[in-house]
Amino acid sequence: MAKIIWTRTDEAPLLATYSLKPVVEAFAATAGIEVETRDISLAGRILAQFADQLPEEQKVSDALAELGAMAKTPEANIIKLPNISASVPQLKAAVKELQEQGYDLPEYEDAKDRYAAVIGSNVNPVLREGNSDRRAPVAVKNFVKKFPHRMGEWSADSKTNVATMAADDFRANEKSVIMDEADTVVIKHVAADGTETVLKDSLPLLKGEVIDGTFISAKALDAFLLEQVKRAKEEGILFSAHMKATMMKVSDPIIFGHIVRAYFADVYAQYGEQLLAAGLNGENGLAAIYAGLDKLDNGAEIKAAFDKGLEEGPDLAMVNSAKGITNLHVPSDVIIDASMPAMIRTSGQMWNKDDQTQDTLAVIPDSSYAGVYQTVIDDCRANGAFDPTTMGTVPNVGLMAQKAEEYGSHDKTFRIDADGKVQVVASNGDVLIEHDVEKGDIWRACQTKDAPIQDWVKLAVNRARLSGMPAVFWLDPARAHDRTLTSLVEKYLGDHDTEGLDIQILSPVEATQHAVDRIRRGEDTISVTGNVLRDYNTDLFPILELGTSAKMLSVVPLMAGGGLFETGAGGSAPKHVQQVIEENHLRWDSLGEFLALAESFRHELNTRGNTKAGILADALDRATEKLLNEEKSPSRKVGEIDNRGSHFWLATYWADELTNQTEDAELAETFKPVAEALNSQAADIDAALINEQGKPVDLGGYYAPSEEKTSEVMRPVAAFNEIIDSLKK
């Protein structure tokens, strides 16, 4: 029997799964497709790491490893929902909850090495055995043109800008080589006195693989940050930091700590020795510092110094003004690919402590991609906000297969302990890459295999041909890695028929302006980018175009022939869970799941000739478009339609479409009584779903909710459940 794997993840997508997956299972079964679950949630990943220490009844399999192996097979058909890319505070909270549920897990501090496999984005690199094809579906784009989202009004006098380093950062210091032959290299540190320390003792590289090394200077970083704190204060604008501390799980928390210490420079000048000795270096955010001060004898005194720093420093952008949660409180609260587009959409402003929007200095220390955001800001300042009713689209073809580029660099990123050199050394002793470094610098290497690069170029050409859109490779001639990639792109483009296609290579800044100019004219442009820019662009442009990146279609054609279908970006929405607990209203929009599911069914048609799956896919697309046009997407407000109501209406419209189609009489006959039952009881079911709202609910856990309790909350109407479950009989 054919199988679709539906991933169990975290937070809002997990809650939505309890409501949507029974519908998916029932409809898929009519095409002979089984829908299985694999648990790659944060809680599930933690338990898998310690399976050897848990009793038999508590053991869980390593579902992520299983899916990683499956992704390398032609049979793979995986629907991947957003998961938590855990920061240390999130990890500790999940561990505490599991301990309270009876799991004998060690504290984080006692098993850091094992927990390191769970911190950050360890999920996506394992599953992404193919490159990324993300685009706005036509139905979604048409809907937005009819019902545009609100865009903040830009002022030509806006003081909002990006601040980034001009030198001595990752971009400036990068070196890149292509391996002539397969080899296993060593990364080592050679101190000024000649002492050698192996940082990574065995790094296998394939022939043709790109290996890069670079570092960011701690001294230059600190000088830059102090200047930005001063600048924000002088200009009377908000100070905000924009990082990816969950994905760049080694480098960015360290940089985040530098930012916190720079903002509170006076506090660290006075109490720094004591704070650092207590581990309160800012890398886990200001909230962790405040929590840690309780353990210090003079904690109240130091807390007063931090409060004074907040009062006298530049105003901070806020994550939650009502609760006093600043941009510097938790590293995972402000993620650049979501925070920067949201700021640009809101007049280039962020929220201040008075819950008002204000111009902002967006501090992005490394300059590799900062210019992309500055270019859009400059364009909005000159030309005003974009118009969703007329603007074009910027789909993306992203190089991400097999841990390509920076997002696969965690195990090759190091904080330097002493002045000296870092070297990447071949097995024959040749030094491939070398940097002079100082204590405190952050050095990293990253890899990009040749096969994914070839596949990336092929995918870009195919998408340009199929869509009729011009395609632009975003490659920076000032970056060593991008110069290397440019040479390979030019080489591999020669393997394809590009006659009549418009394919260019531009720097990210030039490519951004090119794309922006075109979308203002209503024209479409494919951005062909590396891994990090893939992540940034597939939030930046969709948030401007569609109001959210969750409405993107995200297809990963796996290199072995299978398919990975991601349910859009947009994170796992912790605030949505909070609203469910307080008001029993889930505003998470499952549109991304609907779009991914249709492509998953279509994959079964294209690879295994399952015509019923193809009919399910086409009917689902039509149902999704009707759902949008009938405004049955979740509302943000309690007492109005929420995620569960949206699932009900999707099931109704989907059953209608399957009943009315004429390609498969058996399917039409199967769904006719289902459609009749859903439509005849629609008013009652819809009202019952809304009536469930307005009161607190108990999910039995946040990271590991109770199966029984959560199912009751997310499937509260027996009449609807009985109709859906009848399809399985």
Side-chain angles (χ1 to χ4, degrees):
M1 192 175 193
K3 290 183 180 180
I4 291 174
I5 306 300
W6 190 280
T7 56
R8 175 189 173 96
T9 57
D10 304 284
E11 296 179 327
L14 172 59
L15 298 186
T17 291
Y18 279 90
S19 170
L20 178 60
K21 186 167 173 278
V23 175
V24 176
E25 290 171 335
F27 279 65
T30 65
I33 298 172
E34 184 179 355
V35 182
E36 289 189 357
T37 301
R38 290 290 190 281
D39 186 355
I40 58 172
S41 66
L42 176 57
R45 297 186 334 255
I46 290 171
L47 294 177
Q49 280 296 311
F50 294 93
D52 59 318
Q53 298 182 15
L54 296 173
E56 198 63 36
E57 66 273 13
Q58 291 185 337
K59 290 184 186 297
V60 300
S61 62
D62 190 343
L64 179 58
E66 293 171 7
L67 284 184
M70 185 183 296
K72 297 177 182 179
T73 68
E75 294 76 28
N77 188 338
I78 303 168
I79 295 180
K80 160 67 173 63
L81 279 69
N83 61 278
I84 291 176
S85 297
S87 63
V88 172
Q90 287 173 309
L91 176 72
K92 289 182 175 180
V95 169
K96 181 180 179 183
E97 180 177 307
L98 289 167
Q99 290 170 335
E100 291 171 349
Q101 292 181 1
Y103 293 93
D104 186 15
L105 296 170
E107 298 296 332
Y108 169 73
E109 288 76 13
D110 298 329
K112 283 186 178 181
D113 290 344
R114 295 188 70 169
Y115 281 121
V118 184
I119 295 173
S121 180
N122 71 321
V123 171
N124 290 337
V126 173
L127 300 184
R128 287 172 171 169
E129 286 290 323
N131 291 308
S132 170
D133 171 13
R134 282 189 175 177
R135 54 191 187 270
V138 173
V140 176
K141 193 71 174 170
N142 289 341
F143 170 76
V144 169
K145 288 180 178 179
K146 292 180 186 175
F147 304 99
H149 49 277
R150 192 183 71 82
M151 300 286 278
E153 184 176 343
W154 271 80
S155 166
D157 299 324
S158 170
K159 296 180 180 179
T160 290
N161 280 295
V162 171
T164 193
M165 295 175 71
D168 271 332
D169 62 352
F170 289 128
R171 176 174 178 254
N173 292 324
E174 193 169 59
K175 297 181 181 180
S176 177
V177 297
I178 301 174
M179 299 299 295
D180 293 329
E181 299 292 340
D183 197 5
T184 298
V185 303
V186 173
I187 303 175
K188 64 181 181 180
H189 176 263
V190 183
D193 63 2
T195 302
E196 294 189 2
T197 303
V198 174
L199 301 175
K200 191 168 185 66
D201 61 3
S202 178
L203 179 61
L205 299 171
L206 301 176
K207 181 179 180 179
E209 189 161 359
V210 177
I211 175 75
D212 309 311
T214 188
F215 73 97
I216 189 169
S217 163
K219 287 182 180 177
L221 174 62
D222 287 339
F224 161 77
L225 292 171
L226 288 172
E227 184 60 33
Q228 304 323 308
V229 173
K230 179 183 177 184
R231 175 183 173 184
K233 180 71 173 178
E234 290 176 348
E235 295 186 11
I237 58 179
L238 300 178
F239 179 94
S240 64
H242 301 264
M243 306 290 297
K244 191 77 169 178
T246 52
M247 297 287 275
M248 305 302 291
K249 61 184 180 182
V250 177
S251 60
D252 281 21
I254 297 173
I255 295 172
F256 195 85
H258 280 267
I259 296 171
V260 172
R261 296 194 299 274
Y263 186 90
F264 295 101
D266 290 345
V267 180
Y268 276 89
Q270 184 175 0
Y271 300 103
E273 185 175 344
Q274 185 180 3
L275 289 167
L276 296 178
L280 304 180
N281 57 12
E283 292 179 14
N284 291 326
L286 185 57
I289 292 175
Y290 283 156
L293 291 177
D294 292 340
K295 300 175 184 177
L296 301 182
D297 291 340
N298 60 338
E301 175 188 331
I302 301 177
K303 171 66 163 55
F306 275 103
D307 290 344
K308 182 181 179 183
L310 284 172
E311 183 179 342
E312 296 183 351
D315 288 339
L316 282 174
M318 304 297 289
V319 170
N320 188 322
S321 304
K323 295 186 177 181
I325 299 174
T326 74
N327 175 274
L328 299 183
H329 262 65
V330 182
S332 56
D333 272 355
V334 182
I335 303 299
I336 181 172
D337 45 326
S339 60
M340 286 300 297
M343 182 188 81
I344 292 169
R345 184 184 157 194
T346 313
S347 311
Q349 298 183 334
M350 296 184 72
W351 298 95
N352 62 24
K353 62 179 181 293
D354 299 320
D355 207 30
Q356 302 293 319
T357 57
Q358 186 175 337
D359 289 346
T360 306
L361 183 65
V363 178
I364 306 172
D366 178 46
S367 64
S368 294
Y369 310 110
V372 169
Y373 296 114
Q374 184 66 56
T375 300
V376 180
I377 288 169
D378 288 342
D379 187 85
C380 288
R381 187 159 33 225
N383 300 304
F386 295 97
D387 182 353
T389 66
T390 61
M391 66 190 295
T393 187
V394 185
N396 179 263
V397 172
L399 173 59
M400 68 177 189
Q402 300 179 353
K403 304 181 183 180
E405 296 193 336
E406 294 98 328
Y407 281 174
S409 69
H410 319 308
D411 62 339
K412 300 174 289 292
T413 302
F414 312 98
R415 182 175 6 217
I416 303 304
D417 292 332
D419 294 358
K421 299 178 183 293
V422 174
Q423 299 175 334
V424 179
V425 185
S427 60
N428 65 2
D430 288 350
V431 177
L432 303 178
I433 295 172
E434 181 177 84
H435 289 101
D436 292 323
V437 293
E438 296 179 319
K439 182 178 180 180
D441 292 350
I442 307 167
W443 189 96
R444 76 171 183 222
C446 66
Q447 302 163 253
T448 313
K449 293 177 173 59
D450 187 53
I453 297 171
Q454 293 190 47
D455 183 75
W456 177 55
V457 174
K458 175 185 175 182
L459 183 58
V461 172
N462 288 345
R463 288 304 307 155
R465 179 72 67 190
L466 289 170
S467 67
M469 299 179 192
V472 178
F473 285 85
W474 294 39
L475 294 169
D476 186 352
R479 278 191 66 182
H481 170 79
D482 284 13
R483 290 194 297 271
T484 299
L485 263 287
T486 297
S487 70
L488 295 173
V489 167
E490 291 172 342
K491 173 184 175 182
Y492 295 136
L493 280 173
D495 296 337
H496 303 281
D497 175 16
T498 59
E499 183 72 27
L501 300 181
D502 181 354
I503 298 178
Q504 299 184 63
I505 301 175
L506 299 173
S507 74
V509 167
E510 293 170 327
T512 303
Q513 191 62 62
H514 179 69
V516 165
D517 289 343
R518 288 178 57 82
I519 60 177
R520 284 194 183 276
R521 297 195 298 265
E523 298 170 346
D524 308 329
T525 316
I526 299 171
S527 67
V528 188
T529 70
N531 203 351
V532 176
L533 266 179
R534 169 200 60 81
D535 214 1
Y536 291 5
N537 281 8
T538 55
D539 274 303
L540 173 60
F541 292 108
I543 286 173
L544 298 177
E545 291 176 32
L546 311 176
T548 172
S549 54
K551 294 181 179 179
M552 289 285 279
L553 175 60
S554 182
V555 177
V556 182
L558 297 172
M559 292 168 64
L564 174 67
F565 307 95
E566 299 183 306
T567 65
S572 46
K575 290 183 180 179
H576 294 193
V577 182
Q578 181 181 352
Q579 187 176 14
V580 172
I581 293 170
E582 295 175 355
E583 301 179 330
N584 196 11
H585 179 95
L586 179 59
R587 67 178 188 256
W588 174 261
D589 191 342
S590 291
L591 178 63
E593 288 96 304
F594 307 158
L595 299 171
L597 178 60
E599 291 301 314
S600 175
F601 282 135
R602 204 161 277 124
H603 181 74
E604 289 297 316
L605 168 67
N606 295 334
T607 59
R608 282 178 269 277
N610 187 333
T611 55
K612 289 183 184 295
I615 293 168
L616 286 177
D618 292 343
L620 176 54
D621 279 341
R622 293 192 297 272
T624 300
E625 186 163 4
K626 183 174 182 180
L627 180 116
L628 292 171
N629 289 331
E630 295 292 328
E631 299 187 62
K632 299 299 186 183
S633 298
S635 165
R636 300 173 67 87
K637 297 180 180 179
V638 68
E640 299 178 359
I641 187 171
D642 78 341
N643 180 265
R644 294 162 293 190
S646 183
H647 294 166
F648 162 69
W649 285 108
L650 179 86
T652 302
Y653 298 150
W654 196 5
D656 287 343
E657 293 293 342
L658 288 164
T659 301
N660 295 331
Q661 56 81 29
T662 58
E663 298 169 77
D664 189 306
E666 183 182 8
L667 277 179
E669 189 65 25
T670 297
F671 279 95
K672 184 178 180 181
V674 175
E676 289 175 348
L678 289 171
N679 281 287
S680 66
Q681 300 183 56
D684 291 340
I685 293 173
D686 187 51
L689 287 168
I690 290 176
N691 288 339
E692 286 292 319
Q693 300 177 35
K695 56 182 181 293
V697 296
D698 176 17
L699 300 174
Y702 183 92
Y703 295 97
S706 160
E707 288 287 317
E708 183 179 355
K709 290 180 178 180
T710 307
S711 184
E712 287 178 0
V713 169
M714 295 308 299
R715 299 191 77 197
V717 180
F720 178 39
N721 300 342
E722 290 168 4
I723 296 169
I724 294 302
D725 293 345
S726 69
L727 276 168
K728 302 177 186 178
K729 297 176 182 177

